[in-house]
Amino acid sequence: SPLEDRFAVGSGARLLSICYFDPEHNWWVSKHIKKPIRSTILCVDWHPSNHLVAIGSCDFKCRVFCSALKELGDKPQTSNWMPKLNKFGTLLAEFDTNNGWVHGVQFSPSGNQLAWVAHDSSVNVVNSANLTKVHTVLTSNLPYSCLLWMSESSFAAAGFNYCPDLYTVTADGVTFTAKMDVKKEKSGGGAAMSAMARFQKLDVQGQSETGGTTVDTTHENCITEIRALSRNPATGAVSKFSTSGKDGRLVIWNFDALSSSLGGLKI
Amino acid sequence: EAVVSTQSTGFRTVDVDAYDEDNYEDDARDTGDSGAAEVTERANQVRGLLNQLKTKEALKMALKNPPVGNKDASVKEQNYETVVSVLKSFKAADIDAAVADLDMVEIDILMKYLYKGFTCSPDKAASLLQWHEKVVAKGGLGSIVRVMVDRKGI
């Protein structure tokens, strides 16, 4: 959690566990949130206040719960997410994502916005100032599995299209801005590849036949995680981030360098 | 002498999930889409537009408000027939312009009907594939993914 005094675990047991260490009894305690989660939880994110948690699950919904614990002396504030003080485990908001498992969910840096990506190739954002209006983009690419807010008004999403994409959020909604994988010209290497290299390439791409497809993205298989590496000290915006994927690669992206090659992209 | 198991292995074929009380069930939500009357009315209007050779308008009308939540299969069938009748009326050269006119929601609906066509009317596969190619060009793989994850069926 943001204050690093507890952690949240979402599981296939359809419940969310908020866990902390109890020094009085010298053991770890977990408090469960079960209702109304109906299927495996795929992703969890803490709100910067340390008192709210958002989850995405296989029952196609994204939810926000109150996770403030009296036992840890929490004194939660009311906010747009929680207009009146609620007890632990209260469902504060529930969003439907049409038909997709929710693969990734994240609060924006301020905690006022919530974005999630789902298996129906959708990208969704909601602002706590208006919880009834969810902005959705039905993308034309394969679904995303993870996302990272780059600043309060933009986030990167990555997944089965092997490439991090940048989305911009405004009061009117969310729009796709750019693909962040700017590939330089690939040098030959096609003809004279050793047998070993060929098999390695197939393995990395997750294929079983020599279809001979070369991908033009840095990642050669689904990206599964995207994390911030460093932030601009003045603005708090992400300047470097990393992605890792099923191709076994960990790639570090320098957003400042990218933005110049993408024509002065701003986040 | 062969070793014979004295215990029954029938337990291996038991469907454990069937006994799970917490199994996920789709919400039976009333989504407020077309009822039988609206579908019939739409079929008439579409036929009228086709008679006037207004194929693009007919397509847009046919794709409006599909009876997705309707429990009556015949209503869904009727709407499907309406859509197919419009697709049939297009000349191959005109498909591009028609698809360009559709917004992303209509593209998704059309894609769902195309895939329904592949299963229900395999004899029309050739023309459906022509449409499919054009719709993918606009809707991308995302529109196909949304057909695959759709739980209610069009």
Side-chain angles (χ1 to χ4, degrees), chain B residues 20-31:
Chain B
D20 186 357
E21 296 153 348
D22 275 332
N23 247 348
Y24 179 79
E25 270 154 23
D26 280 307
D27 297 328
R29 276 169 295 178
D30 173 23
T31 43

Side-chain angles (χ1 to χ4, degrees), chain A residues 5 10 24 79 100 108 114 143 161 169 171 235 250 252:
Chain A
D5 59 347
E24 197 190 319
S79 67
S108 65
L114 184 66
N161 61 341
V169 183
T235 61
L250 175 69
I252 294 179

Side-chain angles (χ1 to χ4, degrees), chain A:
Chain A
S1 70
L3 291 180
E4 297 182 11
D5 59 347
R6 63 196 79 174
F7 59 93
V9 184
S11 74
R14 307 166 203 185
L15 58 87
L16 177 67
S17 306
I18 308 292
C19 314
Y20 60 94
F21 184 68
D22 181 355
E24 197 190 319
H25 293 103
N26 198 27
W27 61 21
W28 290 84
V29 180
S30 91
K31 295 265 184 261
H32 294 172
I33 298 177
K34 212 172 153 86
K35 292 200 186 318
I37 305 167
R38 291 164 62 202
S39 191
T40 305
I41 295 171
L42 291 177
C43 51
V44 182
D45 190 48
W46 286 93
H47 184 271
S49 72
N50 217 54
H51 299 147
L52 308 177
V53 168
I55 58 163
S57 61
C58 280
D59 60 0
F60 320 124
K61 303 223 195 308
C62 175
R63 298 183 170 94
V64 179
F65 288 96
C66 172
S67 60
L69 288 164
K70 291 195 305 294
E71 294 87 336
L72 290 174
D74 282 348
K75 293 193 172 32
Q77 310 281 317
T78 55
S79 67
N80 282 334
W81 289 110
M82 193 161 63
K84 60 180 177 64
L85 292 180
N86 290 114
K87 60 183 169 73
F88 178 85
T90 311
L91 176 68
L92 299 173
E94 187 176 273
F95 307 104
D96 218 326
T97 61
N98 305 317
N99 289 300
W101 302 320
V102 182
H103 287 298
V105 68
Q106 200 178 58
F107 281 102
S108 65
S110 71
N112 290 331
Q113 301 182 88
L114 184 66
W116 64 97
V117 291
H119 204 76
D120 60 346
S121 292
S122 69
V123 161
N124 309 271
V125 182
V126 71
N127 192 314
S128 60
N130 187 355
L131 288 175
T132 51
K133 183 92 182 75
V134 177
H135 298 288
T136 301
V137 175
L138 296 173
T139 73
S140 55
N141 41 246
L142 292 175
Y144 294 120
S145 357
C146 51
L147 75 150
L148 170 70
W149 283 89
M150 306 282 285
S151 70
E152 189 60 31
S153 59
S154 64
F155 59 87
F160 292 94
N161 61 341
Y162 307 177
C163 165
D165 291 337
L166 186 66
Y167 283 83
T168 312
V169 183
T170 61
D172 301 318
V174 54
T175 41
F176 171 76
T177 308
K179 290 180 93 61
M180 295 204 274
D181 197 344
V182 181
K183 209 69 168 78
K184 292 186 271 300
E185 279 303 305
K186 239 190 153 73
S187 56
M193 228 200 281
S194 73
M196 180 63 163
R198 254 186 234 281
F199 279 116
Q200 263 184 351
K201 199 169 178 57
L202 286 181
D203 185 44
V204 154
Q205 290 179 359
Q207 292 169 9
S208 49
E209 287 158 354
T210 42
T213 40
T214 43
V215 290
D216 57 0
T217 49
T218 307
H219 273 288
E220 292 186 16
N221 209 324
C222 177
I223 295 176
T224 49
E225 283 262 16
I226 180 169
R227 303 243 178 157
L229 204 52
S230 59
R231 294 178 188 272
N232 182 314
T235 61
V238 171
S239 54
K240 281 206 200 137
F241 61 94
S242 66
T243 52
S244 59
K246 293 188 194 171
D247 55 353
R249 292 208 176 136
L250 175 69
V251 180
I252 294 179
W253 308 77
N254 188 330
F255 183 76
D256 296 329
L258 271 176
S259 68
S260 54
S261 56
L262 285 167
L265 217 51
K266 291 211 192 318
I267 53 173

Side-chain angles (χ1 to χ4, degrees), chain B:
Chain B
E1 212 173 42
V3 174
V4 173
S5 169
T6 48
Q7 291 171 317
S8 145
T9 52
F11 70 91
R12 293 185 190 278
T13 51
V14 168
D15 178 12
V16 186
D17 288 329
Y19 296 99
D20 186 357
E21 296 153 348
D22 275 332
N23 247 348
Y24 179 79
E25 270 154 23
D26 280 307
D27 297 328
R29 276 169 295 178
D30 173 23
T31 43
D33 39 56
S34 293
E38 193 179 326
V39 166
T40 312
E41 172 59 26
R42 184 175 310 130
N44 292 333
Q45 290 185 338
V46 165
R47 205 174 310 124
L49 286 169
L50 287 177
N51 287 336
Q52 297 168 46
L53 299 180
K54 290 188 175 154
T55 46
K56 288 210 295 194
E57 291 83 343
L59 181 62
K60 276 198 165 274
M61 168 129 299
L63 294 177
K64 231 166 134 180
N65 211 8
V68 177
N70 203 311
K71 297 191 191 28
D72 187 351
S74 64
V75 173
K76 292 191 177 190
E77 263 313 300
Q78 189 184 10
N79 213 54
Y80 168 66
E81 291 301 330
T82 305
V83 173
V84 168
S85 69
V86 175
L87 298 182
K88 267 201 316 213
S89 70
F90 271 85
K91 290 198 280 293
D94 299 331
I95 297 181
D96 268 313
V99 170
D101 248 3
L102 302 175
D103 65 34
M104 285 313 266
V105 177
E106 289 161 332
I107 289 278
D108 278 354
I109 296 171
L110 176 55
M111 191 59 99
K112 291 195 176 96
Y113 275 115
L114 288 177
Y115 275 88
K116 182 166 175 140
F118 290 138
T119 30
C120 301
S121 321
D123 50 312
K124 301 196 181 64
S127 64
L128 290 174
L129 277 170
Q130 275 186 318
W131 276 94
H132 188 268
E133 188 195 332
K134 306 295 179 193
V135 179
V136 168
K138 178 148 188 190
L141 295 172
S143 58
I144 299 181
V145 169
R146 280 184 286 280
V147 173
M148 299 292 143
V149 298
D150 182 35
R151 294 183 74 81
K152 289 202 227 62
I154 204 159

